[in-house]
Amino acid sequence: MDIHFVCHDCGKKHHPRSLLWRCPCGGLLDVDQFTISFPFDEIKKRPATMWRYREALPFVSDSTVWEALTLGEGYTPIVPLDSKSPNILLKVEYMMPTLSFKDRGAAVLVAKAKALGVTKVIADSSGNAGTSLSAYASRAGMKCDIYVPESTSPKKVQQISAHGATVHRIPGNREATAHAVIEAIESNQGFYASHVYNPFFYQGTKTYAFEIFEQLNGEMPDVLFFPVGNGSLLLGAYYGFQELLRGGMIAKIPRFIAVQAEGCAPIAQAFRTGKKTAEPVVNTGTAAEGIAIAAPARHRQILDAIYATGGFVITAPKEKMEPVRRELASKGFYVEPTTAATYAGFLEYLAQAHNSTGNLPGFEPDAKVIIPLCGAGIKAN
């Protein structure tokens, strides 16, 4: 099996050995379809990590690379919100080695970079992706530079530094950080291990879909909520469900509902007007730093996934984030503000659907809903 990238715009294929982070035409890269399988009789005998789905991941001859790097990431539990809400399920993604779902993507991306002979990775992050990349890079024996906004939680910066990465704190917003790292990449300071641009990252986050399928014994949820900034979990899940659909294991993909922060919601703004592209917005401030992305690079793909599943985009009111964070804590789930925003978005959606005049699809009383808890509260200020 030889894996190739394919440009989302022009369709040209590139080998990962090129170390390109985007097509020369300016388009974004995806992993071209490759042969996969789901031998569930074997899968069920394997350790409870995301690597149980190895036949659906882009590894064959370099399988020993991921085996040396894995920290046991994946196969996070799915539990009810509480005893009164058996159909409102939480997938506890913060039960990961670095306490966020980003470990799914980072493990695959760093393993592929190692197989390609990369010795130094560089990335920009609001915190969690940088932490994950620094952990796996350290395990791989790679040098690592992480660029973060100066407003990033000190706890996340400390965690990144603890893994041996060099942290660059950039004045200004998240977009200023992205510009700084691209300047570094273009001056050949390292391999751009971007959780936004590098398509191998989504090969890790797609295992979120495989786990839901297996953990619910093939019974698909009706609705899935996702926090959306750059969309790495939503897009990965969409790719994973597409592969399950093509394999004949599911009849349809669940409805995707994206949650954005009220102070920074370009995807929501586009969706409200029926557009297939999102224009950059001004980030007016939000505690949900993980989804505070004013100009998401993969905005077209995010909107495509939402439209294709009959989904919706909701914004989480900023005044609701801390109260619902306390509510989740009272139920045993201690989460960071970005995860609280996801749950606040879920509650806002229910409230709007209840009061809707018909333009907002509601839930049947017995609808099965899954909400990811993406980051642990201990990471936040």
Side-chain angles (χ1 to χ4, degrees), residues 70-101:
T70 181
L71 292 166
E73 52 286 332
Y75 216 75
T76 56
I78 297 176
V79 297
L81 174 66
D82 54 37
S83 60
K84 298 176 182 178
S85 310
N87 288 325
I88 307 302
L89 304 174
L90 307 180
K91 189 153 174 58
V92 192
E93 287 289 278
Y94 62 72
M95 292 183 67
M96 292 275 193
T98 75
L99 309 181
S100 92
F101 84 92

Side-chain angles (χ1 to χ4, degrees), residues 76-78 90-93 104 208 211-212 215 371-373:
T76 56
I78 297 176
L90 307 180
K91 189 153 174 58
V92 192
E93 287 289 278
R104 293 183 185 276
Y208 182 83
E211 290 175 17
I212 288 173
Q215 289 171 303
I371 305 166
L373 303 183

Side-chain angles (χ1 to χ4, degrees), residues 299-376:
H299 56 102
R300 288 185 296 165
Q301 291 165 282
I302 294 168
L303 285 161
D304 284 348
I306 295 166
Y307 288 127
T309 62
F312 200 82
V313 186
I314 195 79
T315 52
K318 62 178 65 177
E319 70 274 8
K320 298 289 182 65
M321 291 186 198
E322 192 55 35
V324 302
R325 190 180 181 210
R326 291 194 296 269
E327 179 185 336
L328 284 172
S330 74
K331 298 177 186 295
F333 306 103
Y334 185 47
V335 301
E336 63 177 338
T338 300
T339 294
T342 311
Y343 184 59
F346 163 71
L347 295 177
E348 182 68 15
Y349 186 91
L350 289 186
Q352 289 191 24
H354 180 73
N355 297 321
S356 176
T357 58
N359 62 341
L360 186 63
F363 302 150
E364 296 297 325
D366 60 347
K368 193 180 294 292
V369 178
I370 295 184
I371 305 166
L373 303 183
C374 290

Side-chain angles (χ1 to χ4, degrees), residues 138 171 198 344:
S138 177
N198 193 297

Side-chain angles (χ1 to χ4, degrees), residues 20 27 34 57 61 76 83 88 135 137 145 154 166 180 200 212 226 239 259 283 288 294 296 299 311 316 336 343 372:
L20 289 173
F34 58 94
L57 297 174
S61 60
T76 56
S83 60
I88 307 302
D145 279 16
T166 300
F200 282 133
I212 288 173
F226 295 93
Y239 301 150
V259 178
N283 179 1
H299 56 102
E336 63 177 338
Y343 184 59

Side-chain angles (χ1 to χ4, degrees), residues 100-165:
S100 92
F101 84 92
K102 294 285 180 32
D103 290 351
R104 293 183 185 276
V108 171
L109 175 50
V110 171
K112 293 302 294 187
K114 181 75 172 179
L116 292 169
V118 171
T119 59
K120 180 180 178 181
V121 294
I122 183 170
D124 52 314
S125 169
S126 60
N128 285 336
T131 298
S132 292
L133 286 165
S134 63
Y136 288 96
S138 177
R139 193 163 174 83
M142 296 179 183
K143 294 180 179 179
C144 181
D145 279 16
I146 301 295
Y147 288 65
V148 301
E150 62 182 355
S151 60
T152 298
S153 163
K155 292 183 179 179
K156 291 180 181 178
V157 173
Q158 183 179 13
Q159 192 179 9
I160 294 168
S161 299
H163 292 305

Side-chain angles (χ1 to χ4, degrees), residues 105-296:
V108 171
L109 175 50
V110 171
K112 293 302 294 187
K114 181 75 172 179
L116 292 169
V118 171
T119 59
K120 180 180 178 181
V121 294
I122 183 170
D124 52 314
S125 169
S126 60
N128 285 336
T131 298
S132 292
L133 286 165
S134 63
Y136 288 96
S138 177
R139 193 163 174 83
M142 296 179 183
K143 294 180 179 179
C144 181
D145 279 16
I146 301 295
Y147 288 65
V148 301
E150 62 182 355
S151 60
T152 298
S153 163
K155 292 183 179 179
K156 291 180 181 178
V157 173
Q158 183 179 13
Q159 192 179 9
I160 294 168
S161 299
H163 292 305
T166 300
V167 179
H168 303 263
R169 303 187 69 173
I170 305 301
N173 57 20
R174 181 66 178 81
E175 286 62 49
T177 304
H179 290 314
V181 81
I182 288 173
E183 287 182 3
I185 293 301
E186 290 178 345
S187 61
N188 297 316
Q189 294 183 31
F191 170 74
Y192 194 13
S194 171
H195 64 290
V196 179
Y197 289 101
N198 193 297
F200 282 133
F201 196 92
Y202 303 91
Q203 291 293 302
T205 56
K206 75 180 185 182
T207 59
Y208 182 83
F210 304 158
E211 290 175 17
I212 288 173
F213 175 81
E214 185 181 0
Q215 289 171 303
L216 298 185
N217 297 311
E219 181 183 346
M220 281 292 94
D222 298 285
V223 182
L224 296 170
F225 278 78
F226 295 93
V228 171
N230 279 308
S232 55
L233 183 58
L234 180 147
L235 287 174
Y238 185 58
Y239 301 150
F241 281 117
Q242 284 183 311
E243 291 179 352
L244 291 170
L245 187 65
R246 285 194 294 268
M249 283 169 284
I250 60 175
K252 68 174 185 177
I253 299 174
R255 178 149 40 102
F256 280 23
I257 298 180
V259 178
Q260 293 222 280
E262 192 174 59
C264 189
I267 300 297
Q269 182 172 291
F271 184 85
R272 280 194 292 266
T273 55
K275 293 181 178 178
K276 294 186 177 181
T277 60
E279 297 296 327
V281 299
V282 175
N283 179 1
T284 59
T286 175
E289 61 185 5
I291 54 174
I293 307 299

